Amino acid sequence: MNINFETNAVISNDSRIFRLIYSKKSISKRDISDALGLSLPTITQSLKKLYGLGIIKKSGYFESTGGRKADIITLNGYSKIAIGVEMLKDIIRICAVNLDGNIIEETFHELPFNNCETYYEQLGSLVNHFVDNLSFPLSAYLGVNIAVQGLVSKEGDFITSGDLLEYTGTSKTVFQKYLSLPCRLYHDTEVAAFAELWNQPDIKNAVYIVLNKYLGGSLIIDGNVFQGEEFSGCVIEHMRLIPNGKNCYCGQKGCMNTYCSVYSIEQESQMHIDDFFTLLNKKDPLVERIFDQYLHYLALAINNIRMVVECEFILGGLLDDYLKDDHLKTLASYVNNIAAFKNMEFHYRHSVHGRKAASRGAALKMIEEYILSI
Protein backbone atom coordinates (compact mmCIF):
# COMPACT_ATOMS: atom_id res chain seq x y z
CA MET A 1 0.00 0.00 0.00
CA ASN A 2 1.45 3.32 -1.08
CA ILE A 3 -0.73 6.32 -0.22
CA ASN A 4 1.02 9.65 0.01
CA PHE A 5 -0.38 11.19 3.19
CA GLU A 6 2.01 14.15 3.01
CA THR A 7 0.19 17.43 2.44
CA ASN A 8 0.63 21.10 3.15
CA ALA A 9 -3.09 21.48 3.83
CA VAL A 10 -4.45 21.55 7.36
CA ILE A 11 -6.39 18.34 7.93
CA SER A 12 -8.92 17.50 10.63
CA ASN A 13 -8.26 15.33 13.66
CA ASP A 14 -10.72 12.81 12.20
CA SER A 15 -8.57 12.53 9.11
CA ARG A 16 -5.30 12.33 11.03
CA ILE A 17 -6.64 9.56 13.23
CA PHE A 18 -8.16 7.59 10.35
CA ARG A 19 -4.96 7.78 8.30
CA LEU A 20 -2.98 6.52 11.29
CA ILE A 21 -5.37 3.60 11.79
CA TYR A 22 -5.19 2.83 8.07
CA SER A 23 -1.40 2.75 8.03
CA LYS A 24 -1.01 0.83 11.31
CA LYS A 25 -3.87 -1.64 10.67
CA SER A 26 -4.43 -2.15 14.41
CA ILE A 27 -3.89 0.36 17.19
CA SER A 28 -5.09 1.41 20.65
CA LYS A 29 -6.49 4.76 21.72
CA ARG A 30 -3.39 5.36 23.83
CA ASP A 31 -1.10 4.64 20.87
CA ILE A 32 -3.08 7.16 18.81
CA SER A 33 -2.58 9.75 21.53
CA ASP A 34 1.16 9.07 21.71
CA ALA A 35 1.58 9.19 17.93
CA LEU A 36 -0.47 12.33 17.26
CA GLY A 37 -0.19 14.21 20.54
CA LEU A 38 -3.97 14.42 20.92
CA SER A 39 -5.92 14.18 24.16
CA LEU A 40 -7.98 11.06 24.86
CA PRO A 41 -11.31 13.00 24.88
CA THR A 42 -10.46 14.47 21.45
CA ILE A 43 -9.61 10.99 20.15
CA THR A 44 -12.81 9.55 21.61
CA GLN A 45 -14.87 12.19 19.81
CA SER A 46 -13.21 11.50 16.46
CA LEU A 47 -13.45 7.73 16.86
CA LYS A 48 -17.18 8.08 17.47
CA LYS A 49 -17.53 9.78 14.06
CA LEU A 50 -15.39 7.15 12.34
CA TYR A 51 -17.34 4.30 13.96
CA GLY A 52 -20.49 6.04 12.77
CA LEU A 53 -19.18 5.98 9.19
CA GLY A 54 -18.56 2.27 9.62
CA ILE A 55 -14.99 2.50 8.33
CA ILE A 56 -13.32 1.39 11.58
CA LYS A 57 -14.28 -1.24 14.12
CA LYS A 58 -13.23 -2.83 17.39
CA SER A 59 -11.50 -6.17 16.95
CA GLY A 60 -11.00 -7.48 20.46
CA TYR A 61 -8.57 -6.35 23.14
CA PHE A 62 -4.84 -5.92 23.55
CA GLU A 63 -3.16 -7.86 26.36
CA SER A 64 -3.44 -6.07 29.67
CA THR A 65 -0.38 -4.22 30.99
CA GLY A 66 -1.79 -4.01 34.48
CA GLY A 67 -5.01 -2.10 33.98
CA ARG A 68 -8.10 -2.34 31.83
CA LYS A 69 -7.55 -4.03 28.48
CA ALA A 70 -7.40 -1.58 25.58
CA ASP A 71 -9.66 -1.97 22.54
CA ILE A 72 -7.97 -3.05 19.34
CA ILE A 73 -9.08 -0.48 16.76
CA THR A 74 -8.84 -1.67 13.16
CA LEU A 75 -9.96 -0.74 9.69
CA ASN A 76 -13.32 -2.15 8.58
CA GLY A 77 -12.06 -3.30 5.21
CA TYR A 78 -15.40 -4.27 3.67
CA SER A 79 -17.17 -1.04 4.61
CA LYS A 80 -16.26 0.53 1.25
CA ILE A 81 -15.97 -1.07 -2.17
CA ALA A 82 -14.54 0.46 -5.36
CA ILE A 83 -15.16 -0.87 -8.86
CA GLY A 84 -12.51 -0.58 -11.56
CA VAL A 85 -13.17 -1.18 -15.27
CA GLU A 86 -10.66 -1.37 -18.10
CA MET A 87 -11.96 -0.86 -21.64
CA LEU A 88 -9.92 -2.48 -24.38
CA LYS A 89 -10.63 -2.87 -28.08
CA ASP A 90 -11.93 -6.41 -27.72
CA ILE A 91 -12.56 -7.03 -24.01
CA ILE A 92 -13.42 -5.34 -20.73
CA ARG A 93 -12.00 -6.18 -17.33
CA ILE A 94 -13.93 -5.51 -14.12
CA CYS A 95 -12.44 -5.51 -10.64
CA ALA A 96 -13.75 -4.91 -7.11
CA VAL A 97 -11.40 -3.70 -4.38
CA ASN A 98 -12.18 -3.11 -0.71
CA LEU A 99 -11.03 -0.31 1.59
CA ASP A 100 -7.93 -2.34 2.50
CA GLY A 101 -6.95 -2.33 -1.17
CA ASN A 102 -7.54 -6.07 -1.43
CA ILE A 103 -9.06 -7.55 -4.58
CA ILE A 104 -12.46 -9.07 -3.82
CA GLU A 105 -13.50 -10.23 -7.27
CA GLU A 106 -12.48 -9.68 -10.88
CA THR A 107 -13.59 -10.90 -14.27
CA PHE A 108 -13.38 -10.13 -17.98
CA HIS A 109 -15.75 -10.29 -20.91
CA GLU A 110 -15.23 -10.29 -24.64
CA LEU A 111 -16.92 -7.12 -25.85
CA PRO A 112 -15.63 -5.70 -29.15
CA PHE A 113 -15.70 -1.91 -28.97
CA ASN A 114 -18.15 0.02 -31.09
CA ASN A 115 -18.79 3.70 -30.42
CA CYS A 116 -22.55 3.31 -30.32
CA GLU A 117 -25.41 3.22 -27.82
CA THR A 118 -25.61 -0.58 -27.88
CA TYR A 119 -22.00 -0.98 -26.76
CA TYR A 120 -22.35 1.39 -23.79
CA GLU A 121 -25.59 -0.31 -22.80
CA GLN A 122 -23.87 -3.72 -22.85
CA LEU A 123 -20.92 -2.36 -20.89
CA GLY A 124 -23.23 -0.89 -18.25
CA SER A 125 -25.20 -4.12 -18.00
CA LEU A 126 -22.04 -6.20 -17.42
CA VAL A 127 -20.75 -3.82 -14.75
CA ASN A 128 -24.13 -3.58 -13.01
CA HIS A 129 -24.48 -7.37 -13.00
CA PHE A 130 -20.98 -7.70 -11.54
CA VAL A 131 -21.87 -5.25 -8.75
CA ASP A 132 -25.18 -6.95 -8.01
CA ASN A 133 -23.47 -10.32 -7.62
CA LEU A 134 -21.12 -8.92 -4.97
CA SER A 135 -24.11 -8.49 -2.66
CA PHE A 136 -22.80 -5.59 -0.58
CA PRO A 137 -25.20 -2.86 0.57
CA LEU A 138 -25.52 0.04 -1.86
CA SER A 139 -24.02 2.42 0.72
CA ALA A 140 -20.72 0.49 0.59
CA TYR A 141 -19.99 1.29 -3.07
CA LEU A 142 -17.85 4.32 -3.84
CA GLY A 143 -18.48 4.20 -7.59
CA VAL A 144 -16.91 3.03 -10.84
CA ASN A 145 -13.61 4.26 -12.24
CA ILE A 146 -13.20 3.46 -15.93
CA ALA A 147 -9.71 3.14 -17.45
CA VAL A 148 -9.89 4.03 -21.13
CA GLN A 149 -7.43 3.79 -24.03
CA GLY A 150 -6.96 7.48 -24.53
CA LEU A 151 -6.14 10.72 -22.79
CA VAL A 152 -8.68 12.09 -20.35
CA SER A 153 -9.52 15.56 -19.04
CA LYS A 154 -8.21 16.50 -15.59
CA GLU A 155 -11.70 16.19 -14.13
CA GLY A 156 -12.19 12.74 -15.67
CA ASP A 157 -15.37 13.77 -17.46
CA PHE A 158 -14.44 13.31 -21.13
CA ILE A 159 -11.87 11.72 -23.46
CA THR A 160 -9.58 14.40 -24.87
CA SER A 161 -7.75 12.11 -27.31
CA GLY A 162 -8.96 8.64 -28.26
CA ASP A 163 -7.56 7.97 -31.72
CA LEU A 164 -7.18 4.22 -31.23
CA LEU A 165 -10.91 3.63 -30.66
CA GLU A 166 -11.97 6.79 -32.51
CA TYR A 167 -13.97 8.20 -29.58
CA THR A 168 -12.26 11.52 -28.92
CA GLY A 169 -14.63 13.88 -27.13
CA THR A 170 -16.78 11.13 -25.63
CA SER A 171 -18.25 12.28 -22.32
CA LYS A 172 -18.58 10.20 -19.18
CA THR A 173 -22.32 10.83 -19.41
CA VAL A 174 -22.37 8.29 -22.26
CA PHE A 175 -21.11 5.68 -19.80
CA GLN A 176 -23.11 6.98 -16.84
CA LYS A 177 -26.41 6.58 -18.67
CA TYR A 178 -26.25 2.80 -18.20
CA LEU A 179 -24.37 2.51 -14.91
CA SER A 180 -26.09 2.23 -11.53
CA LEU A 181 -23.08 3.77 -9.73
CA PRO A 182 -21.40 7.14 -10.39
CA CYS A 183 -18.41 6.93 -12.73
CA ARG A 184 -15.25 8.78 -13.68
CA LEU A 185 -12.79 8.27 -16.54
CA TYR A 186 -9.02 7.75 -16.26
CA HIS A 187 -6.15 7.26 -18.71
CA ASP A 188 -5.47 3.51 -18.48
CA THR A 189 -1.68 3.60 -18.25
CA GLU A 190 -1.69 6.15 -15.43
CA VAL A 191 -3.94 4.08 -13.16
CA ALA A 192 -2.00 0.94 -14.16
CA ALA A 193 1.16 2.62 -12.89
CA PHE A 194 -0.72 3.61 -9.73
CA ALA A 195 -1.53 -0.07 -9.10
CA GLU A 196 2.17 -0.91 -9.31
CA LEU A 197 2.98 1.85 -6.82
CA TRP A 198 0.32 0.58 -4.43
CA ASN A 199 2.02 -2.82 -4.16
CA GLN A 200 5.61 -1.66 -4.59
CA PRO A 201 6.02 1.40 -2.34
CA ASP A 202 9.81 1.24 -2.76
CA ILE A 203 9.46 2.58 -6.33
CA LYS A 204 10.75 6.14 -6.41
CA ASN A 205 11.58 7.12 -9.99
CA ALA A 206 10.65 4.87 -12.89
CA VAL A 207 9.25 4.59 -16.39
CA TYR A 208 6.43 2.07 -16.54
CA ILE A 209 6.09 0.51 -19.99
CA VAL A 210 2.80 -1.25 -20.64
CA LEU A 211 3.53 -3.95 -23.23
CA ASN A 212 -0.08 -4.51 -24.24
CA LYS A 213 -1.70 -5.13 -27.61
CA TYR A 214 -1.08 -1.40 -28.03
CA LEU A 215 1.77 0.21 -26.15
CA GLY A 216 1.48 2.65 -23.28
CA GLY A 217 3.59 4.19 -20.58
CA SER A 218 3.67 6.29 -17.43
CA LEU A 219 6.35 8.30 -15.69
CA ILE A 220 6.76 7.91 -11.93
CA ILE A 221 8.57 10.70 -10.11
CA ASP A 222 9.26 10.61 -6.38
CA GLY A 223 6.74 7.83 -5.85
CA ASN A 224 3.90 9.54 -7.74
CA VAL A 225 2.49 9.12 -11.25
CA PHE A 226 3.40 12.27 -13.18
CA GLN A 227 0.24 13.82 -14.64
CA GLY A 228 1.68 16.31 -17.11
CA GLU A 229 0.21 19.70 -17.86
CA GLU A 230 -2.45 19.39 -20.55
CA PHE A 231 -2.12 15.85 -21.83
CA SER A 232 -0.53 12.78 -20.29
CA GLY A 233 2.77 12.83 -18.49
CA CYS A 234 4.35 10.08 -20.60
CA VAL A 235 2.87 9.20 -24.00
CA ILE A 236 5.92 7.18 -25.00
CA GLU A 237 3.99 5.07 -27.49
CA HIS A 238 4.06 7.94 -29.97
CA MET A 239 7.75 8.74 -29.73
CA ARG A 240 9.29 8.41 -33.22
CA LEU A 241 11.49 5.34 -33.17
CA ILE A 242 12.11 4.79 -36.91
CA PRO A 243 11.91 7.84 -39.22
CA ASN A 244 9.34 7.27 -42.00
CA GLY A 245 8.64 3.83 -40.55
CA LYS A 246 5.42 1.86 -40.18
CA ASN A 247 2.08 3.65 -40.01
CA CYS A 248 0.68 4.26 -36.52
CA TYR A 249 -2.99 4.77 -35.64
CA CYS A 250 -2.13 8.30 -34.47
CA GLY A 251 -1.35 9.29 -38.07
CA GLN A 252 2.44 9.40 -37.67
CA LYS A 253 4.99 6.97 -39.06
CA GLY A 254 7.55 4.99 -37.09
CA CYS A 255 6.07 5.38 -33.58
CA MET A 256 7.34 3.21 -30.76
CA ASN A 257 3.89 1.58 -30.68
CA THR A 258 4.35 0.13 -34.17
CA TYR A 259 7.59 -1.66 -33.22
CA CYS A 260 7.32 -2.45 -29.49
CA SER A 261 3.69 -3.49 -28.93
CA VAL A 262 2.20 -6.98 -28.83
CA TYR A 263 0.34 -5.99 -32.00
CA SER A 264 3.68 -5.38 -33.75
CA ILE A 265 4.77 -8.96 -32.97
CA GLU A 266 1.47 -10.39 -34.17
CA GLN A 267 1.60 -8.35 -37.39
CA GLU A 268 5.18 -9.35 -38.16
CA SER A 269 4.61 -13.04 -37.43
CA GLN A 270 0.99 -13.22 -38.64
CA MET A 271 0.02 -15.25 -35.60
CA HIS A 272 -1.58 -14.79 -32.18
CA ILE A 273 0.81 -13.99 -29.33
CA ASP A 274 0.03 -17.35 -27.64
CA ASP A 275 1.05 -19.27 -30.76
CA PHE A 276 4.07 -17.03 -31.22
CA PHE A 277 5.51 -17.84 -27.80
CA THR A 278 4.66 -21.53 -28.16
CA LEU A 279 6.90 -21.61 -31.23
CA LEU A 280 9.49 -19.38 -29.58
CA ASN A 281 9.79 -21.85 -26.71
CA LYS A 282 10.31 -24.57 -29.33
CA LYS A 283 13.12 -22.45 -30.82
CA ASP A 284 11.47 -21.94 -34.19
CA PRO A 285 14.13 -20.06 -36.25
CA LEU A 286 11.76 -17.58 -37.91
CA VAL A 287 10.00 -16.73 -34.64
CA GLU A 288 13.36 -16.38 -32.87
CA ARG A 289 14.49 -13.90 -35.53
CA ILE A 290 11.31 -11.82 -35.18
CA PHE A 291 11.53 -11.78 -31.41
CA ASP A 292 15.21 -10.85 -31.44
CA GLN A 293 14.41 -7.92 -33.73
CA TYR A 294 11.59 -6.95 -31.38
CA LEU A 295 13.98 -6.89 -28.40
CA HIS A 296 16.39 -4.69 -30.38
CA TYR A 297 13.60 -2.21 -31.12
CA LEU A 298 12.50 -2.21 -27.47
CA ALA A 299 16.11 -1.71 -26.36
CA LEU A 300 16.46 1.25 -28.73
CA ALA A 301 13.26 2.80 -27.37
CA ILE A 302 14.38 2.31 -23.76
CA ASN A 303 17.78 3.80 -24.52
CA ASN A 304 16.13 6.89 -26.06
CA ILE A 305 13.94 7.31 -22.98
CA ARG A 306 16.98 6.98 -20.71
CA MET A 307 18.58 9.93 -22.48
CA VAL A 308 15.74 12.05 -21.07
CA VAL A 309 15.23 10.43 -17.68
CA GLU A 310 17.68 8.00 -16.11
CA CYS A 311 15.77 5.69 -13.76
CA GLU A 312 14.58 2.12 -13.47
CA PHE A 313 11.98 0.59 -15.78
CA ILE A 314 8.91 -1.46 -14.92
CA LEU A 315 7.81 -3.85 -17.66
CA GLY A 316 4.13 -4.72 -17.46
CA GLY A 317 1.04 -5.43 -19.48
CA LEU A 318 0.05 -8.45 -21.52
CA LEU A 319 3.56 -9.34 -22.69
CA ASP A 320 4.86 -9.53 -19.13
CA ASP A 321 3.01 -12.86 -18.80
CA TYR A 322 5.25 -14.31 -21.53
CA LEU A 323 8.62 -12.73 -20.83
CA LYS A 324 11.07 -15.03 -19.07
CA ASP A 325 14.17 -13.99 -17.17
CA ASP A 326 16.35 -15.01 -20.12
CA HIS A 327 14.38 -12.69 -22.41
CA LEU A 328 14.83 -9.79 -20.01
CA LYS A 329 18.54 -10.49 -19.60
CA THR A 330 18.91 -10.38 -23.38
CA LEU A 331 16.96 -7.11 -23.48
CA ALA A 332 19.18 -5.67 -20.75
CA SER A 333 22.30 -6.63 -22.66
CA TYR A 334 20.97 -4.92 -25.81
CA VAL A 335 20.16 -1.77 -23.84
CA ASN A 336 23.57 -1.71 -22.19
CA ASN A 337 25.37 -2.31 -25.51
CA ILE A 338 23.89 0.81 -27.12
CA ALA A 339 24.08 3.03 -24.04
CA ALA A 340 25.82 6.36 -24.63
CA PHE A 341 27.74 5.88 -21.39
CA LYS A 342 29.06 2.42 -20.63
CA ASN A 343 28.58 2.79 -16.88
CA MET A 344 24.78 3.24 -17.36
CA GLU A 345 23.31 -0.02 -16.10
CA PHE A 346 19.77 -0.86 -17.18
CA HIS A 347 17.66 -1.48 -14.07
CA TYR A 348 14.27 -3.11 -14.51
CA ARG A 349 11.63 -5.02 -12.60
CA HIS A 350 8.56 -7.07 -13.45
CA SER A 351 5.07 -5.69 -13.03
CA VAL A 352 3.07 -7.04 -10.08
CA HIS A 353 -0.30 -6.83 -11.82
CA GLY A 354 0.58 -7.68 -15.44
CA ARG A 355 -2.34 -7.36 -17.83
CA LYS A 356 -4.79 -6.64 -14.96
CA ALA A 357 -3.04 -3.48 -13.75
CA ALA A 358 -5.41 -0.91 -15.29
CA SER A 359 -8.69 -2.29 -13.90
CA ARG A 360 -7.11 -2.81 -10.48
CA GLY A 361 -5.46 0.60 -10.54
CA ALA A 362 -8.72 2.30 -11.46
CA ALA A 363 -10.38 0.80 -8.38
CA LEU A 364 -7.40 1.50 -6.12
CA LYS A 365 -7.36 5.14 -7.24
CA MET A 366 -10.91 5.50 -5.93
CA ILE A 367 -9.90 3.94 -2.62
CA GLU A 368 -7.06 6.45 -2.28
CA GLU A 369 -9.37 9.36 -3.09
CA TYR A 370 -11.84 8.22 -0.44
CA ILE A 371 -9.16 7.85 2.21
CA LEU A 372 -7.75 11.29 1.49
CA SER A 373 -11.26 12.77 1.66
CA ILE A 374 -11.87 11.73 5.30
Side-chain angles (χ1 to χ4, degrees):
M1 183 271 292
N2 184 33
I3 298 179
N4 186 1
F5 286 139
E6 295 181 8
T7 176
N8 293 324
V10 177
I11 61 175
S12 67
N13 287 332
D14 299 349
S15 181
R16 294 175 66 199
I17 290 170
F18 179 68
R19 293 179 188 189
L20 181 64
I21 295 169
Y22 195 91
S23 61
K24 295 296 184 182
K25 299 305 179 189
S26 65
I27 196 169
S28 70
K29 200 183 297 186
R30 173 59 64 186
D31 289 337
I32 294 172
S33 178
D34 292 341
L36 301 180
L38 298 173
S39 68
L40 291 178
T42 297
I43 294 169
T44 299
Q45 185 178 17
S46 286
L47 289 177
K48 185 177 180 181
K49 294 179 184 178
L50 298 175
Y51 284 130
L53 291 173
I55 55 179
I56 63 169
K57 62 183 180 179
K58 295 177 183 178
S59 300
Y61 301 94
F62 287 104
E63 288 296 319
S64 174
T65 57
R68 181 180 174 183
K69 290 184 178 180
D71 292 324
I72 300 174
I73 304 166
T74 65
L75 185 72
N76 185 5
Y78 286 89
S79 60
K80 296 297 174 186
I81 310 296
I83 307 298
V85 177
E86 180 187 18
M87 279 179 55
L88 297 170
K89 194 170 185 178
D90 298 312
I91 68 170
I92 64 165
R93 298 187 190 279
I94 313 174
C95 176
V97 169
N98 71 1
L99 190 56
D100 263 325
N102 295 325
I103 297 158
I104 303 170
E105 188 69 54
E106 56 189 342
T107 188
F108 76 95
H109 299 274
E110 292 184 0
L111 185 65
F113 178 78
N114 192 343
N115 194 12
C116 66
E117 200 81 5
T118 301
Y119 173 84
Y120 296 109
E121 185 176 5
Q122 290 176 321
L123 173 69
S125 177
L126 289 170
V127 175
N128 293 339
H129 182 70
F130 177 83
V131 171
D132 291 342
N133 283 344
L134 293 176
S135 300
F136 290 98
L138 185 61
S139 59
Y141 295 103
L142 297 174
V144 179
N145 275 352
I146 304 175
V148 300
Q149 290 184 291
L151 306 182
V152 175
S153 65
K154 291 288 186 182
E155 299 76 20
D157 53 6
F158 71 97
I159 298 169
T160 59
S161 179
D163 292 340
L164 178 60
L165 298 183
E166 297 182 346
Y167 59 173
T168 298
T170 300
S171 167
K172 77 171 184 179
T173 57
V174 175
F175 299 86
Q176 190 64 73
K177 183 177 179 180
Y178 298 105
L179 290 169
S180 60
L181 297 173
C183 73
R184 174 176 172 156
L185 307 178
Y186 278 94
H187 183 199
D188 55 357
T189 56
E190 291 181 5
V191 288
F194 181 80
E196 298 300 332
L197 282 169
W198 184 282
N199 289 97
Q200 301 183 84
D202 63 310
I203 297 173
K204 296 302 291 180
N205 302 306
V207 173
Y208 173 52
I209 301 181
V210 188
L211 301 168
N212 274 340
K213 187 91 169 180
Y214 299 96
L215 204 71
S218 285
L219 178 62
I220 297 169
I221 298 177
D222 197 24
N224 292 288
V225 179
F226 180 64
Q227 299 295 316
E229 294 296 327
E230 197 169 340
F231 294 100
S232 172
C234 189
V235 193
I236 59 173
E237 60 267 33
H238 299 302
M239 292 174 62
R240 295 280 184 92
L241 190 64
I242 306 297
N244 298 314
K246 299 176 183 177
N247 291 326
C248 181
Y249 65 82
C250 73
Q252 298 187 113
K253 291 179 178 289
C255 291
M256 183 177 166
N257 174 70
T258 62
Y259 293 91
C260 301
S261 62
V262 169
Y263 181 73
S264 70
I265 295 176
E266 292 182 332
Q267 283 293 98
E268 186 67 24
S269 64
Q270 290 298 296
M271 64 182 72
H272 188 272
I273 197 67
D274 288 341
D275 300 325
F276 180 87
F277 273 91
T278 296
L279 291 178
L280 183 66
N281 293 332
K282 293 179 179 178
K283 299 189 181 301
D284 179 273
L286 176 61
V287 168
E288 284 188 318
R289 180 188 64 77
I290 293 172
F291 188 62
D292 188 65
Q293 182 64 69
Y294 171 83
L295 291 180
H296 274 97
Y297 283 133
L298 185 56
L300 177 60
I302 288 170
N303 185 64
N304 289 345
I305 294 168
R306 292 206 304 165
M307 294 302 98
V308 179
V309 52
E310 170 57 11
C311 59
E312 74 169 324
F313 284 72
I314 305 166
L315 303 176
L318 169 63
L319 198 63
D320 188 52
D321 293 347
Y322 299 91
L323 293 177
K324 298 179 179 179
D325 287 340
D326 286 347
H327 301 148
L328 293 176
K329 287 177 182 177
T330 300
L331 173 64
S333 70
Y334 291 168
V335 174
N336 290 330
N337 286 342
I338 61 174
F341 308 101
K342 295 309 175 185
N343 59 345
M344 288 178 65
E345 285 296 315
F346 172 50
H347 299 287
Y348 65 88
R349 69 171 79 190
H350 277 285
S351 158
V352 167
H353 297 284
R355 68 178 75 186
K356 300 177 181 178
S359 56
R360 293 176 178 181
L364 289 169
K365 189 65 180 173
M366 186 173 288
I367 294 296
E368 183 199 50
E369 289 165 352
Y370 177 77
I371 293 167
L372 296 179
S373 73
I374 298 298

